[in-house]
Amino acid sequence: MASEEELFASVDALLEEEPQLPPPAERARLREAAGITQARLAVALKTSTQTVKNYENGRSEPKSPRLEAYQRLLKGWAAKYPAHTSSAAPAPVVAPQPEVAETFTGSAAPEQGEVAAPVQAPAALAAPARPARSATSRRPAAKKAAAPAVDPRFPHGPLAVLDGDGSAYGVGGVVLDCPATTVPELVEWTLRESGLGAAKLNRYGKDSDPLIVLTAAAAVKLGLPERLEGHEQRRSLRLPEDHRVVKQVTKAKWQLTQRGFGPWARIYRKSQGRERQCVQLAVLSWDALDERSWPGVSEMEPADIARVLGVYAMRVITPRGSTAVSGLELMTALRPPTKAVRDEETGNWVSGYNAGSLGVEPMDPAPPEATPEHPVVVNSGWKGGFLNEEAYQWVRSVETLSDEECTLPYAVGLDLNTAFLAAAARLVVGLSAPDHFHAPKFNPKIPGSWLADLSHIELDPRLPSPFTPDGSRPTGPAWYQTHTLAYAQELGYDVHPIEAYLRRETGAYLDPWHDRLKNAYVDTLADMGVTKDLTDVEFLAAMEQHKQNDPALAAVLAAIKATVKGGVGKLRERPQGKSYKEGETWPALARPTWRPDIRAAVISKARVNMHRKLNNMVKMTGLYPLAVLSDCVVYPSPGESPLDFLPYAASGKPQPGAFRLGPTPGLAKLEGVQSMLWAVDLMEKGLNPARHIKGGDAVLDEGE
C-alpha cells in the first residue's frame, strides 16, 4: 500500500507535466505543410496508417518511445511551418465521461497502452446537413454550436446510413467516406475506421454495436438484391445460405446469427476477452423500418434517416430490429442479468447475478400464465384456465343510452399517452419462479396470478367491468393478476382467492425502462413544440400541428410509442410459422424476458387505471363513455373539444383523478371528433367507435 507522501508526490508530478503534443488539428496541419502522407508518417513511426489518423483526429495519443519520436518530428515541422495565428487553438474541453470497461473493437482503437483522447460529439437534434468533405479528412468541420459530449471511442455517434456513392451519413450532419464494396469490407470499416457505436446504458451492461443502415443503392453495390422475394412473413425472409454475400461473410471468418441475413442482420466474431466485434445491418429496401412504427422514414433522404434513427438511438437505444425487439433489448440493457462479483474463496472476479434483473436463465411460467400451446400446459395436461388480462375492447349497449345523451351533437375521442408505459411506473413484478398456494389470503402487494370468483360483483352497465377485456360481467371463477383483484378490493368488495401462483422475490424491474422511455417521449414532444407548461387550450392547438412541424421528429415519436407497446407484447411472444406444433418450444422461450406474467401485470394495471378514470368521470360529471378500445375512450359531448366535458375546478385547474389533457404518459390528448349519430350507428352495428373515431377508418394499435 502506497503511503500518503508517495501518492502526493505522484499527483504533484502529474500536475507539473506540460502538454507534450500540439492539438490534433495542428498535427495534421504540420504534416500536410511538410507534404507528407499519413501512410509515409506511419512507416516512419513504425505504426499503422489508421493509428496516425487516430492521432490527428483526437481519438488516441501515442505512448513512449513513439511519443518522443512524434514530438521531435512535430517540433521540427513547427519551426519550418509556423501557424499563421499567434497560437494554436486549444483542444476542446468535454464533460467527464462515465466509467467504461469494454475495449474498442478493431484497429481504430488506440494501440495497446495508448490513451483515448476526448472528442466533441455531434448534436443529436441538429437538422441534417450535407457538408463538403475534405480530401484529407473524413471528419466534417467542427460545428459552432455547443454539442453534448459522448464516449470518445464513438466520436461519430451510434449509427450511419450508407448510400450507393459511399457516403455514410451519421447524426448531427456527420458524413463519412466508406470505401467498402463488399459486406465483409463494410464490417471491417465499421469496426476499424468509422468511429460508430454507443456506450452501455448500465455500468454492468454492454456497449451498443454500431448500426449501418443500407439504402437500396448501397445494398445493390454490396451485392445484395434490392428486394427480398418470397411468400413468407416479411420478418422471416432472409438470403439463402448459398447466396454469394453469405458465402463472402463466411469466407472472411464472420458469422451470422440464427436469423441469417435478413432485413436486420447481425454479423459478428466471437468476443476476445472484453472486446466485441459485431455490426448490425438494416436494409431499407427489405422493409427493415416498418411503416407503422417509422412512418415515412424509408422514403426520406439518407441524412434525414440518420437524424431520425440517431435521435431514437440517443434517447432510447440503437435499433436492433423492430421497435418491439428494441423495446425488449432496452429492458435488458438497463437491467443487465449479470455483474462482476468477487469469489470469496479464490479472490477472482466472476460473473454473478445482478439484483433486480431477470437473470440469465429462462423461467417457466405458472400454467395459467402460459399460452395453450406452451410445453408447461401441454405436458401437464392443464385444464384450469388462463389469465385473460388484455386491453379493453368494449362498446356500450345502445339500450343504456339516455335521450339526453342521444341529443348531444358530438362524439369525442380521448387517447391516453402511452398508457402501458404509465402502467409500468413503480410496477412491482415477480423476479423468481412461481410457487403454488391453495386458499391463500389475498395480498395486493404480492405479484402473481389468483383464481377468484368475482361474478357476484354487479356494476353499472353503462361502464365496462374492470375485470374483463370485453367489459362483460364475470360468469364464474377466473384467473386474475394482482392489480385486478386489488381494484376489486378498492371498490369495496371482498376477495377470497381459491388458489394462486405467487412469487416470493419481487422488484420494480421496469422502472428504468419506464424512466428512459418517458423522458424520450416527453423530450421529443417538447422538441415538436408540445411542452408541459402549455395551458389545455394551447396544448390542443399544439397537438393539431405538431406532426407537420417536423416530420422527422414525428417519426421518432411514433417509434417511441411503438417501442412501448411492442416491448410489452414481446414479453409473451407466441410461436410463428406454419410448421409449429403444440407442445414444442419456440425461440422466444429461451429468453429470460419471456415473461407473460409481467405483460399481464402491465396490461392489468393499465386497464384498472382506465376504469378508475371512467368511474371518477361519472362522479365528477355524470358522463358515461360510449366505447373504449385499449387506451382510447369516446364520450358524448356538447362541443367538438374535450374542454366541453372534462371536469375543471373553479380555479380553472383540471380535477385530479379524471381524464386530464397533457403531454406526459397517462395524460390525454384529442384522438378525433365525429357526430353522435355516426357513433350510435356504429354501436347499433356492433362496431367500436373508438376504433374509427380518428377518421379515415383508422384502427388503433391494441398493444401487440
Side-chain angles (χ1 to χ4, degrees):
M1 181 70 71
S3 67
E4 182 177 277
E5 291 78 7
E6 290 172 327
L7 290 172
F8 273 76
S10 298
V11 170
D12 289 340
L14 287 176
L15 291 173
E16 290 170 4
E17 287 186 8
E18 296 293 330
Q20 300 184 65
L21 294 174
E26 176 66 3
R27 303 169 200 174
R29 186 195 72 79
L30 291 170
R31 177 185 53 74
E32 291 169 4
I36 302 298
T37 65
Q38 291 176 326
R40 186 175 173 190
L41 177 56
V43 172
L45 293 177
K46 301 291 192 292
T47 187
S48 67
T49 303
Q50 182 58 51
T51 299
V52 171
K53 292 178 182 179
N54 292 343
Y55 296 163
E56 293 186 358
N57 63 26
R59 287 174 62 187
S60 68
E61 298 290 331
K63 283 289 189 180
S64 296
R66 189 173 291 116
L67 170 62
E68 289 75 17
Y70 191 31
Q71 181 186 39
R72 180 178 181 182
L73 179 63
L74 292 175
K75 283 184 176 180
W77 281 341
K80 287 185 179 181
Y81 314 106
H84 294 298
T85 55
S86 58
S87 61
V93 178
V94 298
Q97 301 299 314
E99 177 186 355
V100 178
E102 293 197 16
T103 305
F104 189 93
T105 60
S107 64
E111 291 193 358
Q112 187 173 9
E114 297 179 354
V115 181
V119 299
Q120 207 84 15
L125 292 174
R130 293 166 179 78
R133 285 167 288 169
S134 165
T136 58
S137 175
R138 288 179 179 149
R139 300 190 70 198
K143 298 185 181 299
K144 293 182 180 179
V150 295
D151 192 300
R153 299 168 300 157
F154 311 122
H156 296 144
L159 55 87
V161 180
L162 181 63
D163 208 354
D165 63 356
S167 300
Y169 296 84
V171 299
V174 168
V175 185
L176 307 172
D177 288 323
C178 176
T181 57
T182 67
V183 169
E185 287 176 1
L186 174 61
V187 173
E188 295 281 356
W189 173 84
T190 303
L191 292 175
R192 298 179 185 278
E193 299 185 41
S194 72
L196 296 173
K200 55 195 174 186
L201 299 180
N202 181 287
R203 61 181 298 191
Y204 301 125
K206 298 176 181 177
D207 294 334
S208 287
D209 299 315
L211 167 64
I212 300 293
V213 181
L214 304 179
T215 64
V220 171
K221 178 182 177 181
L222 295 170
L224 298 168
E226 184 172 343
R227 301 288 306 179
L228 266 184
E229 304 297 336
H231 301 290
E232 301 176 65
Q233 293 181 343
R234 177 191 62 81
R235 58 187 165 188
S236 63
L237 288 175
R238 65 194 69 184
L239 290 180
E241 292 186 6
D242 60 354
H243 190 277
R244 180 166 59 95
V245 171
V246 177
K247 289 183 176 179
Q248 287 175 349
V249 171
T250 304
K251 185 177 180 181
K253 308 298 183 184
W254 292 98
Q255 299 181 51
L256 292 162
T257 61
Q258 291 183 351
R259 289 186 176 272
F261 206 123
W264 289 89
R266 292 184 66 75
I267 302 176
Y268 71 98
R269 284 179 181 148
K270 290 185 177 179
S271 299
Q272 298 176 358
R274 290 183 174 179
E275 182 176 302
R276 287 176 61 79
Q277 296 190 79
C278 184
V279 174
Q280 177 85 54
L281 301 182
V283 188
L284 290 175
S285 58
W286 296 1
D287 299 325
L289 298 180
D290 186 275
E291 177 66 20
R292 294 170 299 176
S293 302
W294 302 95
V297 176
S298 293
E299 305 304 317
M300 292 180 180
E301 292 296 317
D304 298 306
I305 297 173
R307 180 185 176 219
V308 171
L309 297 179
V311 173
Y312 178 90
M314 290 183 172
R315 290 186 172 171
V316 182
I317 193 172
T318 304
R320 287 195 49 180
S322 67
T323 47
V325 169
S326 296
L328 204 64
E329 290 288 339
L330 181 62
M331 294 181 195
T332 304
L334 293 168
R335 293 273 200 190
T338 62
K339 66 177 181 179
V341 296
R342 188 180 293 277
D343 187 310
E344 296 296 334
E345 294 184 2
T346 65
N348 296 329
W349 289 95
V350 297
S351 179
Y353 171 66
N354 183 24
S357 76
L358 298 182
V360 295
E361 296 297 328
M363 186 182 299
D364 278 341
E369 297 166 348
T371 56
E373 67 272 16
H374 194 285
V376 162
V377 174
V378 175
N379 295 339
S380 67
W382 173 259
K383 303 293 183 184
F386 299 94
L387 275 177
N388 189 25
E389 299 287 12
E390 302 294 340
Y392 268 134
Q393 295 191 53
W394 172 80
V395 180
R396 185 173 155 194
S397 169
V398 292
E399 297 174 358
T400 65
L401 292 175
S402 67
D403 292 341
E404 183 181 0
E405 288 175 313
C406 290
T407 57
L408 290 172
Y410 298 104
V412 177
L414 290 176
D415 179 65
L416 296 183
N417 303 321
T418 56
F420 286 177
L421 185 61
R426 298 179 298 280
L427 176 69
V428 176
V429 300
L431 301 178
S432 57
D435 291 320
H436 192 197
F437 298 88
H438 291 279
K441 182 179 179 181
F442 179 66
N443 186 333
K445 295 184 178 180
I446 300 179
S449 304
W450 311 75
L451 180 64
D453 190 348
L454 303 181
S455 61
H456 62 286
I457 300 177
E458 186 171 357
L459 299 175
D460 193 316
R462 291 171 291 181
L463 288 177
S465 166
F467 311 126
T468 60
D470 63 3
S472 61
R473 180 176 174 176
T475 57
W479 288 95
Y480 300 100
Q481 202 276 334
T482 298
H483 285 86
T484 304
L485 284 194
Y487 188 58
Q489 269 194 346
E490 182 181 321
L491 294 174
Y493 298 96
D494 289 333
V495 175
H496 301 288
I498 301 167
E499 60 178 306
Y501 286 90
L502 309 176
R503 288 169 167 81
R504 299 178 188 274
E505 295 179 27
T506 64
Y509 172 71
L510 293 174
D511 261 9
W513 186 79
H514 162 271
D515 293 348
R516 187 166 176 85
L517 285 168
K518 176 184 176 181
N519 289 336
Y521 181 83
V522 171
D523 291 348
T524 304
L525 262 182
D527 290 335
M528 301 168 75
V530 186
T531 55
K532 296 178 183 179
D533 58 351
L534 298 178
T535 66
D536 284 0
V537 173
E538 292 169 337
F539 169 74
L540 291 173
M543 288 299 292
E544 279 187 15
Q545 59 182 9
H546 75 291
K547 292 183 179 179
Q548 288 72 39
N549 290 344
D550 193 330
L553 286 179
V556 175
L557 192 70
I560 292 169
K561 292 190 285 187
T563 301
V564 173
K565 288 193 172 182
V568 172
K570 276 280 187 182
L571 292 168
R572 196 193 65 164
E573 184 177 357
R574 306 289 286 270
Q576 299 159 10
K578 296 178 181 179
S579 60
Y580 176 78
K581 296 180 181 178
E582 271 197 2
E584 295 179 345
T585 60
W586 59 94
L589 299 188
R591 297 193 313 249
T593 48
W594 196 86
R595 289 294 301 273
D597 57 301
I598 296 180
R599 174 188 175 275
V602 172
I603 298 177
S604 167
K605 186 178 174 185
R607 198 180 65 245
V608 163
N609 287 347
M610 172 67 82
H611 192 276
R612 188 179 289 112
K613 287 181 170 63
L614 298 174
N615 221 11
N616 288 337
M617 282 287 289
V618 173
K619 296 174 183 177
M620 296 177 188
T621 67
L623 285 179
Y624 291 86
L626 302 176
V628 184
L629 181 70
S630 188
D631 46 15
C632 179
V633 57
V634 178
Y635 273 102
S637 172
E640 297 181 80
S641 169
L643 301 175
D644 295 316
F645 65 89
L646 289 179
Y648 289 85
S651 64
K653 293 184 178 180
Q655 292 279 21
F659 294 102
R660 296 172 55 187
L661 299 175
T664 55
L667 298 188
K669 58 182 178 290
L670 176 64
E671 180 69 13
V673 183
Q674 301 288 346
S675 72
M676 184 65 177
L677 289 175
W678 169 90
V680 173
D681 181 55
L682 286 184
M683 294 165 69
E684 288 177 339
K685 295 176 181 178
L687 301 176
N688 193 324
R691 188 182 295 275
H692 310 282
I693 191 74
K694 203 169 188 175
D697 204 34
V699 178
L700 298 179
D701 182 353
E702 295 165 22
E704 289 188 76

